[in-house]
Amino acid sequence: MSPGHQIIGAIQLLLLLLCSLLLPTPSMTSLLKTETDDFIDWWQHAVFYQIYPRSFKDSNGDGIGDLQGIISKLPYLAETGITATWLSPIFQSPMVDFGYDISDFKSIQSEYGSMSDFEELVHTAARLGIKIILDFVPNHSSNQHEWFKKSAARAAGFEDYYVWADGQLDELGVRQPPNNWQSVFYGSAWEWNEQRKQYYLHQFTKEQPDLNFRNPVVVQAMDEVLLFWLNKGVAGFRIDAVNHLFENETLPDEPLSGQSTDPLSYDYTKHIYTKDLPEVLSMVQHWRKLLDDYTAQHPEDSTRIMMTEAYAGLTELMNYYEDSSGIMGSHLPFNFHFITDVNRESDARDFVYNVEKWLIYMPRGHAANWVIGNHDNPRVASRFGSASVDAMNMLLMTLPGVAVTYNGEELGMEDYRDISWKETVDPPARNAGELKFKMVSRDPVRTPFQWSNATNAGFSEAAKTWLPVHPNYLEMNLEAQQQAAKSHYRVYRSLIELRKLPILRRGKFSIEPLSRAVFAFKRTLKDYDTIIVVINVSGKEQLVNLTDFIDRPQQLIVEVAGVDSSYEPGAFIFLANNRSVSQQLRLSASAGIVLTEKQWGMSPQRRALVRQLIKSFNVVLVALLMYNLWRHKWTKVNFN
Ligand code: GLC
């Protein structure tokens, strides 16, 4: 080889080396990969939309929502961007507690439809990319369930299906319940059964006797219920009132709480023998194993999950995720802190604390979840005020983890508090009596979904619906909000759209109170524009100085703004470092805003393209080098 050839060869080698250095490093490659496949399972960032079937959509004009009604609205859910929904109970029930009193765990309530309607629902939902989660109510059945009838009759094999106990005689020789336990819904938790001549326990209404989970036959029977619905294609379960599953077997009196003077009120005692017993955790872990085994045996479908309902302490809830020895429990122990721990009086620090405490306590590797409403608690608009609807949805949708929306919250529906005593059907409200029912009634949050301004808000053709429709439906309805240029529904939709960004799926999170009125949080991810959410929880307009909170306050773009905001999505906001008032963010009372902090320079897509070009260039170079070597050899053969 001539010295000239040698020099060219060396230059080529050097170039090759240089180009290899420019090739994506392993971490860059994984970044590119994660843009499409970011290792987050389907449920870890989903929006779970809770449907209250009785009030969602009536297809047959009887004034009661049903499965065909839900099927007809699945396209609405898909169009909104919902990928998972949980249905309050749809099983056969005398409807004392509107489906939470089940008389046959394996059949469909006839006023809701048939098993084939249910199969159609699962099938249609799957076609639209929506997963169905069912409500599993293990703590109790209806007193009309054949298990209870057999247990009351002491039929062989059923004697211990429920929690039975003898009464005690008072000093007058009158029979009294075994102890001082109260029902969550008011009054003694014990009811005398004349046939069996014993009391049975009911932590909810007397028509909801508690099943005895200390009996392995009951555990087995309830496992079969889970398997039955899994085989129908559901993606998992919301487990009802799970922390009530076990009671102390020796039935001791509970100590007084000092919070109430009414011995029949649930607040009268501390529930140390009837709630949050350690056995609950073992049962949750048992169901987790059942679900994991099922998923492993049926890998054609995605992970089957459970979400658990327990109004319990933080440490308990964290153990549900995973206990101290690493045993997995609930995928999503519901986080009700936005319902129970903050309200319209809370300031920015309370909100920040509320978010942080969950994230600090949550064991690593789990998905956070945020429940902002459900069928048991006042709606967002009624709890925080109607001006807060968009801000609360912004919060829900941009926090890390799972968001849970109760049907109607995407419109900002309000409680209908004027339901009369005569119209009231909720059992705890009926128990509270005519003078006090409004304080506890859940009917106001369960009124029919407001689809349009047609009769009964487009919910039903019936002359009378099971609960009255909120009279504000003429203005407050989905159709109006779909047509309006600005609406809560449109805000909600743009939030769901935004949520698809990798930065909201797996970006880092940090939150701070900026004042007593305003808090802000950031989501950050390498190569992505930082997302900033600013929320004013006060009832007054606030000027917000963001300069200490963000790196480049001059480079903000509005992503989502509330219906009353003066900022338009897509607009640039120029905030200077000089802290002059005119350069501050202006947030009206109870408003929120979602911003991006623009990273000037190359977008991740363009960076990926450049890397690709370098790679291709490298291939050409290698080819050239090979060609050169080959030519050199060829020359040698022919000319030496
Ligand atoms: C849960 C349900 C509630 C029901 C109760 C009894 O708390 O959410 O609606 O009344 O359990 O099943």
Side-chain angles (χ1 to χ4, degrees), residues 299-346:
E300 67 286 355
D301 270 329
S302 31
T303 314
R304 309 325 193 267
I305 63 144
M306 73 164 115
M307 327 197 281
T308 41
E309 185 215 24
Y311 291 85
L314 194 54
T315 320
E316 254 123 28
L317 293 174
M318 295 304 145
N319 283 337
Y320 281 30
Y321 270 125
E322 178 180 340
D323 73 6
S324 54
S325 37
I327 304 180
M328 296 293 171
S330 175
H331 295 79
L332 298 168
F334 273 156
N335 172 1
F336 294 123
H337 292 156
F338 280 129
I339 297 177
T340 53
D341 293 19
V342 284
N343 54 45
R344 61 173 89 209
E345 307 304 328
S346 308

Side-chain angles (χ1 to χ4, degrees), residues 139-141 143 148 162-164 181-192 199-211 244 247 266 431:
N139 181 66
H140 42 264
S141 71
N143 60 349
F148 185 75
Y162 295 83
V163 182
W164 295 98
W181 297 354
Q182 304 92 351
S183 137
V184 177
F185 289 164
Y186 197 79
S188 171
W190 297 99
E191 183 70 15
W192 178 254
Y199 284 93
Y200 64 86
L201 179 75
H202 60 91
Q203 294 215 36
F204 295 89
T205 69
K206 65 178 178 1
E207 292 83 3
Q208 291 166 297
D210 271 44
L211 283 158
H244 293 268
E247 300 78 31
Y266 192 59
N431 286 348

Side-chain angles (χ1 to χ4, degrees), residues 335 337-339 341-359 370 372 380 383-385 388 391-393 395-396 399 509 511-513 515-521 535-538 590:
N335 172 1
H337 292 156
F338 280 129
I339 297 177
D341 293 19
V342 284
N343 54 45
R344 61 173 89 209
E345 307 304 328
S346 308
D347 71 20
R349 297 166 303 180
D350 301 320
F351 274 87
V352 170
Y353 180 62
N354 205 37
V355 170
E356 289 275 42
K357 68 183 175 197
W358 191 271
L359 297 177
W370 316 94
I372 205 142
V380 170
R383 224 164 55 235
F384 295 106
S388 304
M392 290 302 143
N393 279 332
L395 178 62
L396 182 73
L399 285 172
F509 172 79
I511 185 165
E512 272 176 41
S515 66
R516 290 186 185 189
V518 175
F519 67 93
F521 56 90
I535 301 213
N536 172 11
V537 289
S538 79
S590 309

Side-chain angles (χ1 to χ4, degrees), residues 89-93 95 99 102 104-105 107-109 134-135 229:
I90 51 171
F91 318 109
Q92 187 182 298
S93 163
M95 291 288 157
I102 298 170
D104 182 352
F105 289 97
S107 55
I108 301 287
Q109 169 71 354
L134 290 181
D135 211 326
W229 294 107

Side-chain angles (χ1 to χ4, degrees), residues 7-17 621 624-626 628:
I7 291 170
I8 292 176
I11 293 176
Q12 281 174 339
L13 264 175
L14 204 69
L15 270 173
L16 185 64
L17 211 73
L621 221 63
L624 247 170
L625 184 69
M626 299 294 284
N628 214 26

Side-chain angles (χ1 to χ4, degrees), residues 97 100 140 185 204 208 238 240 309 375-376 442 446:
D97 192 17
Y100 286 94
H140 42 264
F185 289 164
F204 295 89
Q208 291 166 297
R238 174 261 188 194
D240 184 71
E309 185 215 24
H375 63 297
D376 293 330
R442 298 172 297 177
R446 298 174 175 181

